[in-house]
Amino acid sequence: DDKAFSEGKRQLESQGYKDIVNTGYKSFCCSKDDDFSTGFYAKDKFGNVTEGCFCSSFFKGVTIRFK
């Protein structure tokens, strides 16, 4: 979901992450109550690459989960 990615990216950037890349649908990353699961790679403020997903549904905001 592009909206979830945009919101999640904004949240990560506010925490100092950069080079955030959308990796598309990410299965088994979010809870069964989430309607959308979008994977990402990002670099933290030290340059370490991290992986995770943005989870969202129609009636809640975006939750960020790290692998």
Side-chain angles (χ1 to χ4, degrees), residues 16 24 35 40:
D35 297 307
F40 70 85

Side-chain angles (χ1 to χ4, degrees), residues 1-65:
D1 179 24
D2 289 336
K3 183 178 177 188
F5 180 78
S6 296
E7 175 62 22
K9 182 179 177 185
R10 186 184 63 74
Q11 290 180 28
L12 285 179
E13 288 172 338
S14 72
Q15 296 174 27
Y17 289 86
K18 59 185 178 183
D19 299 333
I20 303 160
V21 177
N22 183 337
T23 61
Y25 176 74
K26 184 94 169 165
S27 59
F28 307 111
C29 188
C30 299
S31 80
K32 62 182 172 75
D33 298 324
D34 290 308
D35 297 307
F36 303 102
S37 176
T38 305
F40 70 85
Y41 288 109
K43 288 184 184 175
D44 66 16
K45 61 185 176 183
F46 302 109
N48 300 310
V49 176
T50 188
E51 179 181 359
C53 64
F54 302 126
C55 305
S56 64
S57 67
F58 294 108
F59 302 108
K60 74 171 189 103
V62 174
T63 302
I64 300 171
R65 293 189 181 207

